[in-house]
Short mmCIF file of all heavy atoms in Angstrom, two decimals:
data_model
loop_
_atom_site.label_atom_id
_atom_site.label_comp_id
_atom_site.label_asym_id
_atom_site.label_seq_id
_atom_site.Cartn_x
_atom_site.Cartn_y
_atom_site.Cartn_z
N MET X 797 15.72 -22.47 16.27
CA MET X 797 16.32 -22.95 17.48
C MET X 797 16.49 -24.53 17.40
O MET X 797 17.40 -25.07 17.78
CB MET X 797 15.51 -22.53 18.69
CG MET X 797 15.64 -21.15 19.07
SD MET X 797 17.28 -20.82 19.78
CE MET X 797 17.33 -21.95 21.22
N ALA X 798 15.42 -25.16 16.91
CA ALA X 798 15.45 -26.59 16.82
C ALA X 798 16.57 -27.06 15.86
O ALA X 798 17.20 -28.03 16.16
CB ALA X 798 14.00 -27.11 16.31
N HIS X 799 16.72 -26.27 14.80
CA HIS X 799 17.83 -26.63 13.80
C HIS X 799 19.16 -26.47 14.54
O HIS X 799 20.06 -27.25 14.35
CB HIS X 799 17.75 -25.69 12.64
CG HIS X 799 18.76 -25.90 11.63
ND1 HIS X 799 18.59 -26.95 10.65
CD2 HIS X 799 19.99 -25.31 11.32
CE1 HIS X 799 19.71 -26.87 9.87
NE2 HIS X 799 20.53 -25.97 10.22
N MET X 800 19.32 -25.35 15.30
CA MET X 800 20.62 -25.20 16.02
C MET X 800 20.88 -26.34 16.94
O MET X 800 22.03 -26.85 17.04
CB MET X 800 20.55 -23.89 16.83
CG MET X 800 20.66 -22.64 15.92
SD MET X 800 20.78 -21.18 17.01
CE MET X 800 20.84 -19.79 15.82
N GLN X 801 19.88 -26.71 17.72
CA GLN X 801 19.98 -27.73 18.75
C GLN X 801 20.37 -29.15 18.05
O GLN X 801 21.12 -29.95 18.65
CB GLN X 801 18.66 -28.01 19.49
CG GLN X 801 18.31 -26.84 20.37
CD GLN X 801 19.07 -26.85 21.69
OE1 GLN X 801 19.87 -27.72 21.97
NE2 GLN X 801 18.89 -25.78 22.52
N ALA X 802 19.85 -29.32 16.81
CA ALA X 802 20.10 -30.62 16.11
C ALA X 802 21.40 -30.61 15.40
O ALA X 802 22.00 -31.73 15.11
CB ALA X 802 18.93 -30.93 15.17
N HIS X 803 21.94 -29.43 15.02
CA HIS X 803 23.11 -29.35 14.20
C HIS X 803 24.23 -28.56 14.69
O HIS X 803 25.14 -28.01 13.92
CB HIS X 803 22.67 -28.82 12.78
CG HIS X 803 21.66 -29.63 12.11
ND1 HIS X 803 21.93 -30.92 11.47
CD2 HIS X 803 20.22 -29.55 11.98
CE1 HIS X 803 20.76 -31.47 10.95
NE2 HIS X 803 19.77 -30.58 11.28
N TYR X 804 24.23 -28.31 16.07
CA TYR X 804 25.23 -27.33 16.58
C TYR X 804 26.75 -27.74 16.37
O TYR X 804 27.65 -27.00 16.33
CB TYR X 804 25.09 -27.14 18.15
CG TYR X 804 25.17 -28.38 18.89
CD1 TYR X 804 26.44 -28.79 19.29
CD2 TYR X 804 24.14 -29.05 19.32
CE1 TYR X 804 26.58 -30.00 20.17
CE2 TYR X 804 24.18 -30.19 20.16
CZ TYR X 804 25.39 -30.67 20.56
OH TYR X 804 25.56 -31.82 21.34
N GLY X 805 26.91 -29.11 16.11
CA GLY X 805 28.24 -29.54 15.82
C GLY X 805 28.74 -29.34 14.43
O GLY X 805 29.89 -29.60 14.11
N GLU X 806 27.86 -28.84 13.62
CA GLU X 806 28.14 -28.54 12.12
C GLU X 806 28.26 -27.09 11.96
O GLU X 806 28.11 -26.19 12.77
CB GLU X 806 27.00 -29.02 11.31
CG GLU X 806 26.67 -30.49 11.52
CD GLU X 806 25.42 -30.93 10.89
OE1 GLU X 806 24.91 -30.14 9.94
OE2 GLU X 806 24.70 -31.90 11.20
N THR X 807 28.78 -26.72 10.73
CA THR X 807 28.86 -25.31 10.25
C THR X 807 27.55 -24.86 10.02
O THR X 807 26.79 -25.42 9.25
CB THR X 807 29.79 -25.13 9.05
OG1 THR X 807 31.09 -25.61 9.32
CG2 THR X 807 29.88 -23.70 8.66
N ILE X 808 27.13 -23.79 10.70
CA ILE X 808 25.76 -23.15 10.59
C ILE X 808 25.93 -21.74 10.16
O ILE X 808 26.53 -20.97 10.85
CB ILE X 808 24.95 -23.20 11.83
CG1 ILE X 808 24.76 -24.77 12.29
CG2 ILE X 808 23.55 -22.60 11.76
CD1 ILE X 808 23.91 -24.91 13.54
N ARG X 809 25.40 -21.41 9.02
CA ARG X 809 25.48 -19.98 8.51
C ARG X 809 24.21 -19.26 8.74
O ARG X 809 23.09 -19.87 8.73
CB ARG X 809 25.83 -20.05 7.04
CG ARG X 809 27.14 -20.84 6.77
CD ARG X 809 27.62 -20.48 5.35
NE ARG X 809 28.75 -21.39 4.96
CZ ARG X 809 30.00 -21.07 5.43
NH1 ARG X 809 30.18 -20.05 6.18
NH2 ARG X 809 31.03 -21.99 5.16
N VAL X 810 24.33 -18.00 9.08
CA VAL X 810 23.17 -17.18 9.36
C VAL X 810 22.21 -17.05 8.19
O VAL X 810 21.01 -16.98 8.40
CB VAL X 810 23.57 -15.71 9.85
CG1 VAL X 810 24.17 -14.95 8.77
CG2 VAL X 810 22.33 -15.07 10.46
N HIS X 811 22.68 -17.12 6.97
CA HIS X 811 21.81 -17.01 5.82
C HIS X 811 20.91 -18.32 5.73
O HIS X 811 19.76 -18.22 5.41
CB HIS X 811 22.67 -16.97 4.50
CG HIS X 811 23.21 -15.59 4.30
ND1 HIS X 811 24.51 -15.24 4.82
CD2 HIS X 811 22.77 -14.54 3.59
CE1 HIS X 811 24.79 -14.05 4.53
NE2 HIS X 811 23.72 -13.52 3.77
N THR X 812 21.49 -19.50 6.15
CA THR X 812 20.69 -20.72 6.21
C THR X 812 19.60 -20.58 7.22
O THR X 812 18.41 -20.98 7.05
CB THR X 812 21.57 -21.83 6.53
OG1 THR X 812 22.58 -22.03 5.59
CG2 THR X 812 20.77 -23.17 6.58
N LEU X 813 19.88 -20.00 8.44
CA LEU X 813 18.86 -19.83 9.46
C LEU X 813 17.81 -18.82 9.03
O LEU X 813 16.62 -19.12 9.31
CB LEU X 813 19.54 -19.28 10.76
CG LEU X 813 20.62 -20.14 11.35
CD1 LEU X 813 21.24 -19.47 12.51
CD2 LEU X 813 20.13 -21.51 11.69
N ALA X 814 18.13 -17.76 8.31
CA ALA X 814 17.19 -16.78 7.84
C ALA X 814 16.23 -17.45 6.87
O ALA X 814 15.04 -17.28 6.88
CB ALA X 814 17.89 -15.60 7.24
N GLU X 815 16.76 -18.21 5.93
CA GLU X 815 15.92 -18.98 4.87
C GLU X 815 15.02 -19.91 5.63
O GLU X 815 13.83 -20.06 5.33
CB GLU X 815 16.79 -19.68 3.91
CG GLU X 815 17.68 -18.76 2.97
CD GLU X 815 18.54 -19.62 2.15
OE1 GLU X 815 18.63 -20.83 2.29
OE2 GLU X 815 19.26 -19.00 1.33
N LEU X 816 15.47 -20.63 6.70
CA LEU X 816 14.63 -21.54 7.39
C LEU X 816 13.46 -20.85 8.10
O LEU X 816 12.40 -21.34 8.16
CB LEU X 816 15.51 -22.22 8.48
CG LEU X 816 14.83 -23.37 9.28
CD1 LEU X 816 14.43 -24.46 8.35
CD2 LEU X 816 15.77 -23.87 10.36
N ALA X 817 13.70 -19.56 8.52
CA ALA X 817 12.70 -18.75 9.14
C ALA X 817 11.73 -17.97 8.14
O ALA X 817 10.75 -17.44 8.58
CB ALA X 817 13.26 -17.88 10.20
N GLY X 818 12.22 -17.99 6.88
CA GLY X 818 11.45 -17.21 5.92
C GLY X 818 11.71 -15.69 6.14
O GLY X 818 10.72 -14.90 5.95
N LEU X 819 12.87 -15.26 6.60
CA LEU X 819 13.17 -13.94 6.91
C LEU X 819 14.38 -13.51 6.19
O LEU X 819 15.33 -14.34 5.78
CB LEU X 819 13.29 -13.70 8.39
CG LEU X 819 12.03 -14.09 9.26
CD1 LEU X 819 12.49 -14.11 10.75
CD2 LEU X 819 11.00 -13.03 9.04
N SER X 820 14.61 -12.15 6.01
CA SER X 820 15.96 -11.68 5.66
C SER X 820 16.85 -11.82 6.88
O SER X 820 16.48 -11.95 8.05
CB SER X 820 15.84 -10.25 5.19
OG SER X 820 15.58 -9.42 6.29
N VAL X 821 18.16 -11.69 6.60
CA VAL X 821 19.23 -11.80 7.70
C VAL X 821 18.92 -10.63 8.67
O VAL X 821 18.99 -10.80 9.91
CB VAL X 821 20.60 -11.68 7.20
CG1 VAL X 821 21.65 -11.49 8.25
CG2 VAL X 821 20.96 -12.98 6.39
N ALA X 822 18.65 -9.43 8.21
CA ALA X 822 18.44 -8.33 9.10
C ALA X 822 17.17 -8.54 9.94
O ALA X 822 17.18 -8.28 11.10
CB ALA X 822 18.19 -7.09 8.28
N GLN X 823 16.08 -9.06 9.35
CA GLN X 823 14.92 -9.42 10.11
C GLN X 823 15.10 -10.48 11.16
O GLN X 823 14.66 -10.33 12.28
CB GLN X 823 13.82 -9.88 9.15
CG GLN X 823 13.22 -8.84 8.22
CD GLN X 823 12.25 -9.30 7.20
OE1 GLN X 823 12.42 -10.45 6.69
NE2 GLN X 823 11.17 -8.59 6.94
N LEU X 824 15.89 -11.55 10.75
CA LEU X 824 16.24 -12.60 11.70
C LEU X 824 16.98 -12.06 12.91
O LEU X 824 16.65 -12.27 14.08
CB LEU X 824 17.09 -13.63 11.10
CG LEU X 824 17.45 -14.89 11.82
CD1 LEU X 824 16.19 -15.69 12.09
CD2 LEU X 824 18.52 -15.65 11.26
N GLU X 825 17.97 -11.16 12.65
CA GLU X 825 18.76 -10.56 13.77
C GLU X 825 17.76 -9.73 14.65
O GLU X 825 17.85 -9.83 15.96
CB GLU X 825 19.79 -9.60 13.16
CG GLU X 825 20.85 -10.37 12.37
CD GLU X 825 22.07 -10.76 13.30
OE1 GLU X 825 22.13 -10.39 14.45
OE2 GLU X 825 22.99 -11.43 12.71
#
């Protein structure tokens, strides 16, 4: 969430978010 808040103006991919959380995409969802 902090990453989204700081970078919402940029292209954000779900794979990047999953890596940030240390989860698979399915787990993140």
Side-chain angles (χ1 to χ4, degrees):
M797 283 292 297
H799 181 81
M800 288 184 182
Q801 293 282 358
H803 302 281
Y804 62 81
E806 306 168 15
T807 298
I808 297 179
R809 303 191 184 282
V810 68
H811 286 86
T812 302
L813 300 177
E815 290 175 359
L816 187 62
L819 300 167
S820 69
V821 171
Q823 288 173 325
L824 184 73
E825 295 270 352

